[in-house]
Amino acid sequence: MKNKTNMQKLFFKKNPATYTWILFFWSVTMCIFEYFAIKYSILPTYTNRHFFFVFLLILNQLFVAIFFFCGISNLVIAAKYQFIKKKEQQQELAILKQPLPKRWHPRVQLLYTTYNDFIPYAFAQCLNQTYDNVQGVILDNSTDEKYIKMIQQFVKVHPQVKWVRNAPNKHAKAGNLNSYLCKQPKESYDYFVILDSDELLENKFVEKCLKFFYHNHHLGILQCNHISGQNYNSFMNLFSNSGNIFWPVQNVIRSVESGTLAPNKNDQQPHIIERGSTVCIELGHGVMISRECFEDIGQIPHAVAEDLCTSVEALLKGWNIRFASQIYGNEEFPVDMSALMVRSSKFCSANFEFFRNYFKTLKKTKLLTFYQKLDLLSFTLSVPMNAFQYISLLLSSIIFPLSNIKLGYQLLMLFPVLVCYFSQGIIDGFFELQRGMKFHKMLLYEIQIAFLYGSFYYLTVKSTFFALLKRPAKFNVTPKKTKHITLTDAFKKNWQGIVFSLLTIVFSIICSGCSWILLSFLPGCLGFIFELKANQQGKQDQQKLKRFEKYNYYALYEPKHEPLKWNE
């Protein structure tokens, strides 16, 4: 018992609030910015009784404030991560070194969700666990007979795997999970792991996760680290680096400072044990959830951002969520630019849906601190932020110049603007240099990242516009396959974004002579060429793809063959 208590002290510990530093740097930056804006822009416009433009100037300041806040948040979180990462790694490893008690042998189910995207080698590898009390369950929404027959063959040679059909596909992934979990008796499982179709788990995944749960009985959800390693073309190889950096940097900090809650037990209401300053959330896959936590929630919320909604429901019931940086899963990065856009569009609309559904609840709850609510707001706004940037750019480069309204921003503000604008790219570059990337290659990587995500303006603005009109969010499955793409194909796929960017540039230059606008919208005109990188396959990529195809065959017809390595 003493050893278990010591492990809990490692798991839950007090840390200085990152958001204190974020708010400090943000406040200083905004004070300087507002000084120039009010003195040289807002007050003269007010004096001239142009009240409508005063309103627009203040609105623009709000967008700039959100923009600065998100950028400064990224930089402060990355700096904090650099400072604590070794210590956190050591403390996690201390928990993982502890053996599981022989008397404690919980039942774990691996819930593999699929909708016309079943990957045999992936699930076969996930089943290859060192912990023995594990059952695999395929939750299948597929409508394509090719995939249905493939699953049928897989189950035939893996008789221990349960196959559950949910043909109506109602409520997408959340509905698929609920249609199974809500009908299961208590004795069927103690914990379950949610898997996406391309998921690979390390062989000790379940064993490691259970160690974290054993050392804290208030832990309801454990999200594990991910790498995008199943990459087999140049697009995937290049741009997966950003995600591989983002996962640990953001989630370690959110886990460390998330405080400690206690759920409703012994007729006691959910309550705070240790106040937190950030919110750790589960990210939809490679996550283990306890049966008690799920039963307390009742069901996975029927929403596109079902993972974010599930996290909030668990927190409101007093369950803790943690991130384990030393427990790994492996997933495919989106196979091409179009697939990445599908995923980004889904995130944008899903975050607005979450905000509408949970704003009032989060505002009222006393289980989350002000900082934690601010963290959730920041996380929710991080995807549609590009839309706010676009509106601010339109006001600054077209509306105000046409109306002879001076902005009054001094050259002094150029540096923080650029730092915030490129905050995520700066972080990626810093950690790539630490990993051994040459400086000139890092610069090239930074330029390519800026052009790729800079070409997403149209997509983000469109998604945000429809979301504000309360158009229902859709759960679009990210495509797992790509075809050879010609330059003409790439242009046709992206012509709306290209026209959108060109018109913005032309109107800005005509109205105000703002040639600097090219920096923001040139990527939208040229970014479509990254569609072609999906065609590029090196020798290693081709070998890896053949290896995946070979292991697909083994998983379907020769299950006793040596499985694919989880970090392939």
Side-chain angles (χ1 to χ4, degrees):
M1 181 61 70
K2 184 178 180 181
N3 189 43
K4 183 172 180 177
T5 303
N6 289 336
M7 287 302 104
Q8 284 185 234
K9 288 180 179 179
L10 285 178
F11 209 145
F12 296 118
K13 46 207 172 298
K14 293 182 179 180
N15 282 274
T18 296
Y19 270 88
T20 302
W21 291 105
I22 291 172
L23 287 174
F24 170 75
F25 288 117
W26 177 75
S27 298
V28 170
T29 306
M30 285 306 301
C31 283
I32 299 171
F33 190 83
E34 292 303 322
Y35 169 78
F36 290 121
I38 292 171
K39 182 176 182 179
Y40 298 107
S41 184
I42 294 176
L43 284 180
T45 306
Y46 179 81
T47 303
N48 292 329
R49 305 181 70 81
H50 295 152
F51 301 125
F52 175 69
F53 291 106
V54 170
F55 166 76
L56 291 182
L57 285 167
I58 294 172
L59 181 66
N60 188 48
Q61 297 305 99
L62 175 62
F63 292 143
V64 171
I66 295 171
F67 169 55
F68 275 169
F69 188 84
C70 290
I72 290 171
S73 297
N74 287 337
L75 294 168
V76 172
I77 287 173
K80 177 72 179 288
Y81 173 75
Q82 175 68 10
F83 181 71
I84 70 166
K85 63 179 181 179
K86 287 186 178 179
K87 179 182 176 182
E88 294 306 312
Q89 179 181 338
Q90 291 170 356
Q91 292 181 341
E92 281 191 37
L93 291 175
I95 295 172
L96 296 176
K97 285 179 181 178
Q98 300 297 313
L100 282 174
K102 292 181 180 179
R103 68 184 184 277
W104 193 63
H105 204 229
R107 296 146 296 185
V108 180
Q109 290 191 336
L110 304 180
L111 305 184
Y112 180 93
T113 58
T114 178
Y115 176 69
N116 295 334
D117 58 355
F118 180 64
I119 303 175
Y121 74 75
F123 192 42
Q125 195 285 326
C126 290
L127 293 170
N128 186 34
Q129 293 292 315
T130 55
Y131 184 76
D132 59 351
N133 200 4
V134 175
Q135 181 185 24
V137 183
I138 299 175
L139 303 181
D140 174 30
N141 280 1
S142 299
T143 55
D144 189 328
E145 281 297 321
K146 179 181 73 172
Y147 290 102
I148 295 172
K149 289 179 180 178
M150 199 183 295
I151 296 170
Q152 190 174 27
Q153 174 62 30
F154 186 92
V155 174
K156 182 179 177 181
V157 298
H158 297 81
Q160 75 279 18
V161 172
K162 186 187 294 186
W163 179 21
V164 180
R165 286 280 295 150
N166 182 33
N169 192 29
K170 192 174 183 181
H171 301 301
K173 184 177 180 179
N176 195 4
L177 288 164
N178 286 330
S179 67
Y180 175 73
L181 288 169
C182 294
K183 298 174 184 177
Q184 296 306 299
K186 288 186 176 181
E187 63 272 11
S188 62
Y189 72 95
D190 298 296
Y191 298 91
F192 64 88
V193 177
I194 300 175
L195 305 173
D196 278 357
S197 63
D198 59 346
E199 193 89 29
L200 296 180
L201 300 180
E202 64 169 304
N203 300 68
K204 292 186 177 181
F205 184 92
V206 172
E207 179 184 343
K208 288 182 174 181
C209 288
L210 289 176
K211 290 178 181 181
F212 274 73
F213 278 96
Y214 178 75
H215 290 294
N216 191 332
H217 60 281
H218 292 324
L219 181 62
I221 300 176
L222 181 66
Q223 176 63 59
C224 300
N225 204 350
H226 267 74
I227 57 172
S228 294
Q230 300 176 65
N231 305 320
Y232 46 84
N233 65 44
S234 295
F235 180 86
M236 302 168 84
N237 289 329
L238 176 63
F239 296 117
S240 62
N241 293 334
S242 183
N244 291 343
I245 291 168
F246 179 86
W247 268 73
V249 170
Q250 292 283 329
N251 294 312
V252 165
I253 296 301
R254 287 195 159 93
S255 181
V256 165
E257 298 189 9
S258 57
T260 310
L261 301 173
N264 182 4
K265 289 187 176 181
N266 302 322
D267 298 323
Q268 203 175 27
Q269 291 299 313
H271 60 281
I272 298 174
I273 296 176
E274 180 185 332
R275 299 177 73 81
S277 61
T278 55
V279 174
C280 186
I281 64 171
E282 64 112 338
L283 300 164
H285 55 103
V287 57
M288 182 178 280
I289 302 177
S290 74
R291 175 178 52 78
E292 290 179 288
C293 177
F294 176 77
E295 288 178 349
D296 226 358
I297 295 171
Q299 66 172 18
I300 306 294
H302 291 156
V304 174
E306 88 293 332
D307 45 6
L308 180 56
C309 297
T310 300
S311 301
V312 170
E313 292 289 348
L315 291 169
L316 295 176
K317 295 293 184 180
W319 290 97
N320 295 294
I321 305 171
R322 292 294 183 268
F323 177 78
S325 66
Q326 302 303 304
I327 308 177
Y328 288 95
N330 188 339
E331 62 176 338
E332 287 185 5
F333 191 75
V335 68
D336 57 24
M337 184 175 171
S338 296
L340 183 59
M341 284 184 163
V342 168
R343 190 176 74 172
S344 298
S345 177
K346 181 179 71 174
F347 287 166
C348 186
S349 57
N351 282 7
F352 272 105
E353 180 187 47
F354 164 80
F355 188 78
R356 286 197 303 268
N357 292 343
Y358 283 91
F359 177 77
K360 291 182 180 179
T361 303
L362 291 171
K363 183 180 177 182
K364 293 179 181 178
T365 185
K366 295 181 179 179
L367 281 173
L368 299 178
T369 64
F370 166 76
Y371 280 160
Q372 288 178 307
K373 294 174 184 179
L374 182 63
D375 187 38
L376 272 173
L377 178 64
S378 175
F379 180 84
T380 306
L381 292 177
S382 62
V383 178
M385 186 183 68
N386 276 0
F388 301 143
Q389 288 178 343
Y390 178 76
I391 295 172
S392 179
L393 287 168
L394 284 186
L395 290 171
S396 302
S397 59
I398 297 179
I399 304 300
F400 294 145
L402 278 177
S403 307
N404 294 318
I405 302 295
K406 294 183 179 180
L407 289 175
Y409 307 149
Q410 305 298 306
L411 190 62
L412 175 67
M413 295 309 301
L414 181 61
F415 178 71
V417 168
L418 290 176
V419 168
C420 290
Y421 187 85
F422 293 106
S423 62
Q424 192 56 54
I426 292 170
I427 294 166
D428 291 348
F430 173 78
F431 284 104
E432 287 295 355
L433 286 175
Q434 276 197 339
R435 291 176 176 183
M437 183 181 282
K438 299 294 184 182
F439 185 76
H440 69 279
K441 288 186 176 180
M442 184 275 290
L443 288 180
L444 179 60
Y445 169 74
E446 291 288 295
I447 293 170
Q448 292 179 96
I449 282 283
F451 265 80
L452 175 71
Y453 288 104
S455 65
F456 281 33
Y457 263 121
Y458 171 72
L459 174 74
T460 309
V461 170
K462 184 176 73 170
S463 298
T464 302
F465 176 75
F466 285 132
L468 291 174
L469 293 179
K470 296 186 177 181
R471 180 173 173 175
K474 292 183 179 180
F475 191 97
N476 296 317
V477 177
T478 305
K480 301 293 191 299
K481 293 184 177 181
T482 187
K483 297 179 180 179
H484 183 81
I485 303 169
T486 66
L487 187 62
T488 303
D489 293 333
F491 182 84
K492 287 180 179 178
K493 283 184 177 183
N494 297 276
W495 72 268
Q496 292 175 315
I498 295 169
V499 171
F500 175 85
S501 300
L502 278 173
L503 289 176
T504 303
I505 290 172
V506 170
F507 277 109
S508 297
I509 292 176
I510 291 174
C511 296
S512 62
C514 289
S515 55
W516 55 266
I517 203 75
L518 288 168
L519 293 174
S520 296
F521 292 100
L522 190 60
C525 301
L526 301 177
F528 73 97
I529 62 176
F530 286 110
E531 292 275 10
L532 304 180
K533 288 192 76 69
N535 298 333
Q536 300 171 12
Q537 284 188 322
K539 187 175 181 180
Q540 289 185 339
D541 296 326
Q542 294 171 3
Q543 290 174 346
K544 183 181 284 191
L545 192 56
K546 287 179 180 179
R547 200 154 55 245
F548 290 157
E549 292 171 353
K550 180 177 70 175
Y551 277 95
N552 264 342
Y553 176 84
Y554 291 152
L556 288 173
Y557 299 103
E558 297 182 24
K560 292 184 179 180
H561 193 278
E562 181 184 355
L564 184 74
K565 294 180 181 179
W566 76 268
N567 55 353
E568 188 69 31

